[in-house]
Amino acid sequence: MSISLPEMGIYFSLLLFLVGLLGIMLRKNIIFMMLAVEVMLNAANLAFVSASVLTNTIDGQVIMFFVMAVAACEAGIGLALIISLYRARNTLEADDLRILRG
């Protein structure tokens, strides 16, 4: 019983998603947490494209472009928020930023 390349892509996307989830749960630095979210979004892209190849449609590839747009917006807005938080609190540790009052 052999596994086809698109099926391997889906299994690899599951592995990538779990690595990103562990990165969010175990890291304390907000920048590393953002990188873990990006890994999770890339895992979703890989799953969409692999499923698209398995079903012989382009639906997953179209959805991938929307996920890439969301990832680009998340990176821009997230980095702006991180810079603002660092200037206000002089730290990027998530535990130190629990209480965010104006």
Side-chain angles (χ1 to χ4, degrees), residues 48-93:
F48 283 133
V49 171
S50 297
S52 172
V53 170
L54 276 175
T55 59
N56 291 327
T57 61
I58 62 167
D59 296 341
Q61 296 171 15
V62 172
I63 292 173
M64 179 201 63
F65 285 114
F66 288 111
V67 173
M68 286 176 65
V70 168
C73 293
E74 178 260 335
I77 293 171
L79 286 175
L81 286 172
I82 287 173
I83 290 170
S84 176
L85 284 171
Y86 183 75
R87 287 182 179 170
R89 303 282 179 153
N90 289 330
T91 185
L92 290 178
E93 299 297 317

